[in-house]
PDB file of all heavy atoms in Angstrom:
ATOM      1  N   ARG A   1      56.975 -68.093 -47.476  1.00  0.00           N
ATOM      2  CA  ARG A   1      55.625 -67.967 -46.943  1.00  0.00           C
ATOM      3  C   ARG A   1      54.817 -69.229 -47.325  1.00  0.00           C
ATOM      4  O   ARG A   1      54.752 -69.622 -48.462  1.00  0.00           O
ATOM      5  CB  ARG A   1      54.920 -66.742 -47.504  1.00  0.00           C
ATOM      6  CG  ARG A   1      53.553 -66.498 -46.885  1.00  0.00           C
ATOM      7  CD  ARG A   1      52.990 -65.188 -47.396  1.00  0.00           C
ATOM      8  NE  ARG A   1      51.579 -64.972 -46.918  1.00  0.00           N
ATOM      9  CZ  ARG A   1      51.258 -64.496 -45.715  1.00  0.00           C
ATOM     10  NH1 ARG A   1      52.211 -64.169 -44.880  1.00  0.00           N
ATOM     11  NH2 ARG A   1      49.985 -64.328 -45.438  1.00  0.00           N
ATOM     12  N   LYS A   2      54.234 -69.870 -46.300  1.00  0.00           N
ATOM     13  CA  LYS A   2      53.515 -71.074 -46.538  1.00  0.00           C
ATOM     14  C   LYS A   2      52.204 -70.809 -47.238  1.00  0.00           C
ATOM     15  O   LYS A   2      51.820 -71.442 -48.222  1.00  0.00           O
ATOM     16  CB  LYS A   2      53.268 -71.821 -45.189  1.00  0.00           C
ATOM     17  CG  LYS A   2      54.505 -72.348 -44.540  1.00  0.00           C
ATOM     18  CD  LYS A   2      54.230 -73.065 -43.246  1.00  0.00           C
ATOM     19  CE  LYS A   2      55.491 -73.613 -42.611  1.00  0.00           C
ATOM     20  NZ  LYS A   2      55.209 -74.328 -41.337  1.00  0.00           N
ATOM     21  N   GLU A   3      51.464 -69.828 -46.718  1.00  0.00           N
ATOM     22  CA  GLU A   3      50.203 -69.423 -47.345  1.00  0.00           C
ATOM     23  C   GLU A   3      50.517 -68.441 -48.491  1.00  0.00           C
ATOM     24  O   GLU A   3      51.247 -67.511 -48.292  1.00  0.00           O
ATOM     25  CB  GLU A   3      49.262 -68.781 -46.357  1.00  0.00           C
ATOM     26  CG  GLU A   3      48.858 -69.691 -45.249  1.00  0.00           C
ATOM     27  CD  GLU A   3      47.944 -68.987 -44.258  1.00  0.00           C
ATOM     28  OE1 GLU A   3      47.571 -67.842 -44.519  1.00  0.00           O
ATOM     29  OE2 GLU A   3      47.585 -69.578 -43.206  1.00  0.00           O
ATOM     30  N   ARG A   4      49.957 -68.707 -49.652  1.00  0.00           N
ATOM     31  CA  ARG A   4      50.244 -67.881 -50.789  1.00  0.00           C
ATOM     32  C   ARG A   4      48.967 -67.344 -51.441  1.00  0.00           C
ATOM     33  O   ARG A   4      48.453 -67.873 -52.387  1.00  0.00           O
ATOM     34  CB  ARG A   4      51.027 -68.677 -51.832  1.00  0.00           C
ATOM     35  CG  ARG A   4      52.437 -69.053 -51.333  1.00  0.00           C
ATOM     36  CD  ARG A   4      53.317 -69.515 -52.479  1.00  0.00           C
ATOM     37  NE  ARG A   4      54.708 -69.542 -52.113  1.00  0.00           N
ATOM     38  CZ  ARG A   4      55.680 -69.569 -53.000  1.00  0.00           C
ATOM     39  NH1 ARG A   4      55.453 -69.655 -54.280  1.00  0.00           N
ATOM     40  NH2 ARG A   4      56.946 -69.531 -52.607  1.00  0.00           N
ATOM     41  N   PRO A   5      48.464 -66.239 -50.890  1.00  0.00           N
ATOM     42  CA  PRO A   5      47.224 -65.681 -51.475  1.00  0.00           C
ATOM     43  C   PRO A   5      47.518 -65.122 -52.862  1.00  0.00           C
ATOM     44  O   PRO A   5      48.621 -64.638 -53.157  1.00  0.00           O
ATOM     45  CB  PRO A   5      46.867 -64.555 -50.487  1.00  0.00           C
ATOM     46  CG  PRO A   5      48.158 -64.200 -49.848  1.00  0.00           C
ATOM     47  CD  PRO A   5      48.933 -65.489 -49.749  1.00  0.00           C
ATOM     48  N   GLU A   6      46.523 -65.155 -53.683  1.00  0.00           N
ATOM     49  CA  GLU A   6      46.698 -64.687 -55.064  1.00  0.00           C
ATOM     50  C   GLU A   6      46.658 -63.124 -55.069  1.00  0.00           C
ATOM     51  O   GLU A   6      47.361 -62.499 -55.876  1.00  0.00           O
ATOM     52  CB  GLU A   6      45.607 -65.206 -55.990  1.00  0.00           C
ATOM     53  CG  GLU A   6      45.778 -64.836 -57.429  1.00  0.00           C
ATOM     54  CD  GLU A   6      44.709 -65.417 -58.356  1.00  0.00           C
ATOM     55  OE1 GLU A   6      43.797 -66.107 -57.812  1.00  0.00           O
ATOM     56  OE2 GLU A   6      44.781 -65.188 -59.587  1.00  0.00           O
ATOM     57  N   TYR A   7      45.870 -62.547 -54.178  1.00  0.00           N
ATOM     58  CA  TYR A   7      45.718 -61.085 -54.134  1.00  0.00           C
ATOM     59  C   TYR A   7      45.833 -60.601 -52.693  1.00  0.00           C
ATOM     60  O   TYR A   7      45.485 -61.311 -51.763  1.00  0.00           O
ATOM     61  CB  TYR A   7      44.364 -60.651 -54.689  1.00  0.00           C
ATOM     62  CG  TYR A   7      44.197 -60.858 -56.187  1.00  0.00           C
ATOM     63  CD1 TYR A   7      43.610 -62.016 -56.696  1.00  0.00           C
ATOM     64  CD2 TYR A   7      44.631 -59.869 -57.101  1.00  0.00           C
ATOM     65  CE1 TYR A   7      43.471 -62.204 -58.058  1.00  0.00           C
ATOM     66  CE2 TYR A   7      44.510 -60.065 -58.470  1.00  0.00           C
ATOM     67  CZ  TYR A   7      43.916 -61.225 -58.940  1.00  0.00           C
ATOM     68  OH  TYR A   7      43.768 -61.413 -60.280  1.00  0.00           O
ATOM     69  N   ILE A   8      46.266 -59.326 -52.568  1.00  0.00           N
ATOM     70  CA  ILE A   8      46.083 -58.610 -51.309  1.00  0.00           C
ATOM     71  C   ILE A   8      45.006 -57.552 -51.577  1.00  0.00           C
ATOM     72  O   ILE A   8      45.129 -56.781 -52.556  1.00  0.00           O
ATOM     73  CB  ILE A   8      47.385 -57.924 -50.907  1.00  0.00           C
ATOM     74  CG1 ILE A   8      48.474 -58.924 -50.676  1.00  0.00           C
ATOM     75  CG2 ILE A   8      47.156 -57.089 -49.630  1.00  0.00           C
ATOM     76  CD1 ILE A   8      49.853 -58.319 -50.335  1.00  0.00           C
ATOM     77  N   SER A   9      43.990 -57.548 -50.735  1.00  0.00           N
ATOM     78  CA  SER A   9      42.870 -56.594 -50.901  1.00  0.00           C
ATOM     79  C   SER A   9      42.861 -55.593 -49.819  1.00  0.00           C
ATOM     80  O   SER A   9      42.945 -55.913 -48.627  1.00  0.00           O
ATOM     81  CB  SER A   9      41.549 -57.372 -50.921  1.00  0.00           C
ATOM     82  OG  SER A   9      40.437 -56.483 -50.733  1.00  0.00           O
ATOM     83  N   LEU A  10      42.804 -54.312 -50.207  1.00  0.00           N
ATOM     84  CA  LEU A  10      42.785 -53.230 -49.214  1.00  0.00           C
ATOM     85  C   LEU A  10      41.555 -53.362 -48.301  1.00  0.00           C
ATOM     86  O   LEU A  10      41.642 -53.291 -47.084  1.00  0.00           O
ATOM     87  CB  LEU A  10      42.730 -51.874 -49.905  1.00  0.00           C
ATOM     88  CG  LEU A  10      42.776 -50.656 -49.033  1.00  0.00           C
ATOM     89  CD1 LEU A  10      44.165 -50.418 -48.455  1.00  0.00           C
ATOM     90  CD2 LEU A  10      42.302 -49.393 -49.787  1.00  0.00           C
ATOM     91  N   ALA A  11      40.367 -53.620 -48.882  1.00  0.00           N
ATOM     92  CA  ALA A  11      39.155 -53.717 -48.105  1.00  0.00           C
ATOM     93  C   ALA A  11      39.202 -54.929 -47.148  1.00  0.00           C
ATOM     94  O   ALA A  11      38.770 -54.828 -46.011  1.00  0.00           O
ATOM     95  CB  ALA A  11      37.937 -53.818 -49.046  1.00  0.00           C
ATOM     96  N   LYS A  12      39.722 -56.039 -47.660  1.00  0.00           N
ATOM     97  CA  LYS A  12      39.773 -57.256 -46.828  1.00  0.00           C
ATOM     98  C   LYS A  12      40.729 -57.089 -45.649  1.00  0.00           C
ATOM     99  O   LYS A  12      40.425 -57.475 -44.522  1.00  0.00           O
ATOM    100  CB  LYS A  12      40.201 -58.401 -47.702  1.00  0.00           C
ATOM    101  CG  LYS A  12      40.286 -59.737 -46.920  1.00  0.00           C
ATOM    102  CD  LYS A  12      40.741 -60.875 -47.842  1.00  0.00           C
ATOM    103  CE  LYS A  12      40.916 -62.157 -47.050  1.00  0.00           C
ATOM    104  NZ  LYS A  12      41.365 -63.271 -47.921  1.00  0.00           N
ATOM    105  N   GLU A  13      41.886 -56.520 -45.926  1.00  0.00           N
ATOM    106  CA  GLU A  13      42.936 -56.476 -44.900  1.00  0.00           C
ATOM    107  C   GLU A  13      42.680 -55.350 -43.882  1.00  0.00           C
ATOM    108  O   GLU A  13      43.038 -55.483 -42.733  1.00  0.00           O
ATOM    109  CB  GLU A  13      44.303 -56.326 -45.544  1.00  0.00           C
ATOM    110  CG  GLU A  13      44.701 -57.450 -46.462  1.00  0.00           C
ATOM    111  CD  GLU A  13      44.821 -58.748 -45.760  1.00  0.00           C
ATOM    112  OE1 GLU A  13      44.982 -58.742 -44.494  1.00  0.00           O
ATOM    113  OE2 GLU A  13      44.780 -59.799 -46.423  1.00  0.00           O
ATOM    114  N   PHE A  14      42.105 -54.236 -44.344  1.00  0.00           N
ATOM    115  CA  PHE A  14      42.021 -53.079 -43.463  1.00  0.00           C
ATOM    116  C   PHE A  14      40.613 -52.760 -42.995  1.00  0.00           C
ATOM    117  O   PHE A  14      40.420 -52.018 -42.022  1.00  0.00           O
ATOM    118  CB  PHE A  14      42.640 -51.861 -44.158  1.00  0.00           C
ATOM    119  CG  PHE A  14      44.121 -51.948 -44.344  1.00  0.00           C
ATOM    120  CD1 PHE A  14      44.650 -52.521 -45.480  1.00  0.00           C
ATOM    121  CD2 PHE A  14      44.994 -51.512 -43.347  1.00  0.00           C
ATOM    122  CE1 PHE A  14      46.028 -52.667 -45.661  1.00  0.00           C
ATOM    123  CE2 PHE A  14      46.360 -51.604 -43.488  1.00  0.00           C
ATOM    124  CZ  PHE A  14      46.887 -52.201 -44.633  1.00  0.00           C
ATOM    125  N   PHE A  15      39.603 -53.311 -43.665  1.00  0.00           N
ATOM    126  CA  PHE A  15      38.242 -53.002 -43.306  1.00  0.00           C
ATOM    127  C   PHE A  15      37.392 -54.280 -43.168  1.00  0.00           C
ATOM    128  O   PHE A  15      36.179 -54.296 -43.376  1.00  0.00           O
ATOM    129  CB  PHE A  15      37.586 -52.060 -44.331  1.00  0.00           C
ATOM    130  CG  PHE A  15      38.416 -50.857 -44.629  1.00  0.00           C
ATOM    131  CD1 PHE A  15      38.978 -50.653 -45.863  1.00  0.00           C
ATOM    132  CD2 PHE A  15      38.580 -49.902 -43.625  1.00  0.00           C
ATOM    133  CE1 PHE A  15      39.732 -49.547 -46.102  1.00  0.00           C
ATOM    134  CE2 PHE A  15      39.365 -48.789 -43.891  1.00  0.00           C
ATOM    135  CZ  PHE A  15      39.931 -48.575 -45.123  1.00  0.00           C
ATOM    136  N   ASP A  16      38.084 -55.353 -42.751  1.00  0.00           N
ATOM    137  CA  ASP A  16      37.435 -56.628 -42.456  1.00  0.00           C
ATOM    138  C   ASP A  16      36.570 -57.133 -43.563  1.00  0.00           C
ATOM    139  O   ASP A  16      35.537 -57.799 -43.355  1.00  0.00           O
ATOM    140  CB  ASP A  16      36.601 -56.525 -41.183  1.00  0.00           C
ATOM    141  CG  ASP A  16      37.461 -56.153 -39.935  1.00  0.00           C
ATOM    142  OD1 ASP A  16      38.573 -56.706 -39.874  1.00  0.00           O
ATOM    143  OD2 ASP A  16      36.985 -55.383 -39.088  1.00  0.00           O
ATOM    144  N   GLY A  17      36.943 -56.841 -44.794  1.00  0.00           N
ATOM    145  CA  GLY A  17      36.224 -57.313 -45.970  1.00  0.00           C
ATOM    146  C   GLY A  17      34.862 -56.706 -46.177  1.00  0.00           C
ATOM    147  O   GLY A  17      34.064 -57.212 -46.978  1.00  0.00           O
ATOM    148  N   GLN A  18      34.581 -55.592 -45.490  1.00  0.00           N
ATOM    149  CA  GLN A  18      33.298 -54.944 -45.602  1.00  0.00           C
ATOM    150  C   GLN A  18      33.167 -54.306 -46.983  1.00  0.00           C
ATOM    151  O   GLN A  18      34.134 -54.012 -47.657  1.00  0.00           O
ATOM    152  CB  GLN A  18      33.104 -53.911 -44.509  1.00  0.00           C
ATOM    153  CG  GLN A  18      33.117 -54.452 -43.126  1.00  0.00           C
ATOM    154  CD  GLN A  18      32.995 -53.363 -42.074  1.00  0.00           C
ATOM    155  OE1 GLN A  18      32.192 -52.422 -42.233  1.00  0.00           O
ATOM    156  NE2 GLN A  18      33.806 -53.424 -41.018  1.00  0.00           N
ATOM    157  N   ASN A  19      31.929 -54.051 -47.369  1.00  0.00           N
ATOM    158  CA  ASN A  19      31.676 -53.375 -48.629  1.00  0.00           C
ATOM    159  C   ASN A  19      31.851 -51.885 -48.481  1.00  0.00           C
ATOM    160  O   ASN A  19      30.888 -51.147 -48.247  1.00  0.00           O
ATOM    161  CB  ASN A  19      30.257 -53.713 -49.114  1.00  0.00           C
ATOM    162  CG  ASN A  19      29.959 -53.154 -50.474  1.00  0.00           C
ATOM    163  OD1 ASN A  19      30.901 -52.850 -51.256  1.00  0.00           O
ATOM    164  ND2 ASN A  19      28.710 -52.981 -50.831  1.00  0.00           N
ATOM    165  N   VAL A  20      33.109 -51.469 -48.520  1.00  0.00           N
ATOM    166  CA  VAL A  20      33.447 -50.064 -48.296  1.00  0.00           C
ATOM    167  C   VAL A  20      33.526 -49.335 -49.640  1.00  0.00           C
ATOM    168  O   VAL A  20      33.461 -49.911 -50.729  1.00  0.00           O
ATOM    169  CB  VAL A  20      34.788 -49.939 -47.528  1.00  0.00           C
ATOM    170  CG1 VAL A  20      34.632 -50.470 -46.151  1.00  0.00           C
ATOM    171  CG2 VAL A  20      35.913 -50.633 -48.268  1.00  0.00           C
ATOM    172  N   PHE A  21      33.720 -48.006 -49.571  1.00  0.00           N
ATOM    173  CA  PHE A  21      33.708 -47.195 -50.724  1.00  0.00           C
ATOM    174  C   PHE A  21      35.071 -47.238 -51.518  1.00  0.00           C
ATOM    175  O   PHE A  21      35.162 -46.667 -52.585  1.00  0.00           O
ATOM    176  CB  PHE A  21      33.390 -45.737 -50.377  1.00  0.00           C
ATOM    177  CG  PHE A  21      31.967 -45.515 -50.075  1.00  0.00           C
ATOM    178  CD1 PHE A  21      31.489 -45.694 -48.785  1.00  0.00           C
ATOM    179  CD2 PHE A  21      31.063 -45.134 -51.059  1.00  0.00           C
ATOM    180  CE1 PHE A  21      30.134 -45.498 -48.490  1.00  0.00           C
ATOM    181  CE2 PHE A  21      29.725 -44.922 -50.766  1.00  0.00           C
ATOM    182  CZ  PHE A  21      29.249 -45.098 -49.500  1.00  0.00           C
ATOM    183  N   LEU A  22      36.052 -47.833 -50.919  1.00  0.00           N
ATOM    184  CA  LEU A  22      37.375 -47.861 -51.547  1.00  0.00           C
ATOM    185  C   LEU A  22      37.999 -49.237 -51.394  1.00  0.00           C
ATOM    186  O   LEU A  22      37.966 -49.823 -50.357  1.00  0.00           O
ATOM    187  CB  LEU A  22      38.303 -46.823 -50.900  1.00  0.00           C
ATOM    188  CG  LEU A  22      39.755 -46.778 -51.410  1.00  0.00           C
ATOM    189  CD1 LEU A  22      39.772 -46.342 -52.878  1.00  0.00           C
ATOM    190  CD2 LEU A  22      40.601 -45.847 -50.535  1.00  0.00           C
ATOM    191  N   ASP A  23      38.543 -49.735 -52.500  1.00  0.00           N
ATOM    192  CA  ASP A  23      39.265 -50.987 -52.457  1.00  0.00           C
ATOM    193  C   ASP A  23      40.364 -50.935 -53.496  1.00  0.00           C
ATOM    194  O   ASP A  23      40.348 -50.176 -54.418  1.00  0.00           O
ATOM    195  CB  ASP A  23      38.360 -52.191 -52.729  1.00  0.00           C
ATOM    196  CG  ASP A  23      38.999 -53.497 -52.327  1.00  0.00           C
ATOM    197  OD1 ASP A  23      40.092 -53.460 -51.708  1.00  0.00           O
ATOM    198  OD2 ASP A  23      38.430 -54.579 -52.645  1.00  0.00           O
ATOM    199  N   ALA A  24      41.398 -51.751 -53.289  1.00  0.00           N
ATOM    200  CA  ALA A  24      42.459 -51.926 -54.271  1.00  0.00           C
ATOM    201  C   ALA A  24      42.922 -53.331 -54.168  1.00  0.00           C
ATOM    202  O   ALA A  24      43.086 -53.906 -53.065  1.00  0.00           O
ATOM    203  CB  ALA A  24      43.611 -50.933 -53.981  1.00  0.00           C
ATOM    204  N   LYS A  25      43.147 -53.973 -55.306  1.00  0.00           N
ATOM    205  CA  LYS A  25      43.620 -55.372 -55.293  1.00  0.00           C
ATOM    206  C   LYS A  25      44.988 -55.428 -55.944  1.00  0.00           C
ATOM    207  O   LYS A  25      45.225 -54.880 -56.980  1.00  0.00           O
ATOM    208  CB  LYS A  25      42.635 -56.220 -56.121  1.00  0.00           C
ATOM    209  CG  LYS A  25      41.310 -56.453 -55.408  1.00  0.00           C
ATOM    210  CD  LYS A  25      40.351 -57.273 -56.334  1.00  0.00           C
ATOM    211  CE  LYS A  25      40.899 -58.661 -56.541  1.00  0.00           C
ATOM    212  NZ  LYS A  25      39.951 -59.501 -57.376  1.00  0.00           N
ATOM    213  N   ILE A  26      45.914 -56.040 -55.234  1.00  0.00           N
ATOM    214  CA  ILE A  26      47.260 -56.172 -55.728  1.00  0.00           C
ATOM    215  C   ILE A  26      47.560 -57.679 -55.910  1.00  0.00           C
ATOM    216  O   ILE A  26      47.411 -58.486 -55.001  1.00  0.00           O
ATOM    217  CB  ILE A  26      48.295 -55.616 -54.705  1.00  0.00           C
ATOM    218  CG1 ILE A  26      48.147 -54.112 -54.572  1.00  0.00           C
ATOM    219  CG2 ILE A  26      49.731 -55.927 -55.123  1.00  0.00           C
ATOM    220  CD1 ILE A  26      47.097 -53.674 -53.621  1.00  0.00           C
ATOM    221  N   LYS A  27      47.926 -58.053 -57.076  1.00  0.00           N
ATOM    222  CA  LYS A  27      48.205 -59.452 -57.413  1.00  0.00           C
ATOM    223  C   LYS A  27      49.604 -59.799 -56.925  1.00  0.00           C
ATOM    224  O   LYS A  27      50.555 -59.026 -57.148  1.00  0.00           O
ATOM    225  CB  LYS A  27      48.109 -59.710 -58.921  1.00  0.00           C
ATOM    226  CG  LYS A  27      48.258 -61.189 -59.267  1.00  0.00           C
ATOM    227  CD  LYS A  27      48.037 -61.430 -60.763  1.00  0.00           C
ATOM    228  CE  LYS A  27      48.193 -62.892 -61.104  1.00  0.00           C
ATOM    229  NZ  LYS A  27      47.236 -63.769 -60.478  1.00  0.00           N
ATOM    230  N   VAL A  28      49.742 -60.899 -56.250  1.00  0.00           N
ATOM    231  CA  VAL A  28      51.039 -61.318 -55.654  1.00  0.00           C
ATOM    232  C   VAL A  28      51.697 -62.344 -56.592  1.00  0.00           C
ATOM    233  O   VAL A  28      51.072 -63.331 -56.977  1.00  0.00           O
ATOM    234  CB  VAL A  28      50.838 -61.944 -54.260  1.00  0.00           C
ATOM    235  CG1 VAL A  28      52.236 -62.209 -53.631  1.00  0.00           C
ATOM    236  CG2 VAL A  28      50.011 -61.016 -53.384  1.00  0.00           C
ATOM    237  N   LEU A  29      52.919 -62.071 -56.980  1.00  0.00           N
ATOM    238  CA  LEU A  29      53.691 -62.950 -57.885  1.00  0.00           C
ATOM    239  C   LEU A  29      54.798 -63.577 -57.061  1.00  0.00           C
ATOM    240  O   LEU A  29      55.577 -62.843 -56.371  1.00  0.00           O
ATOM    241  CB  LEU A  29      54.279 -62.117 -59.042  1.00  0.00           C
ATOM    242  CG  LEU A  29      53.230 -61.275 -59.827  1.00  0.00           C
ATOM    243  CD1 LEU A  29      53.982 -60.381 -60.795  1.00  0.00           C
ATOM    244  CD2 LEU A  29      52.264 -62.166 -60.495  1.00  0.00           C
TER     245      LEU A  29
END
């Protein structure tokens, strides 16, 4: 993968980064 994000965010990926009531951050190694 060329782009290497540090985290995957539930809110960012599924709710367009909105300030929603639920989020989860997964660190990518």
Side-chain angles (χ1 to χ4, degrees):
R1 185 175 173 82
K2 293 181 180 179
E3 296 179 6
R4 294 193 163 197
E6 185 178 2
Y7 291 94
I8 298 175
S9 164
L10 182 76
K12 179 181 177 181
E13 299 298 341
F14 292 89
F15 307 114
D16 298 323
Q18 298 178 43
N19 185 20
V20 293
F21 286 87
L22 177 66
D23 195 9
K25 290 176 65 178
I26 294 86
K27 186 174 179 62
V28 187
L29 307 171

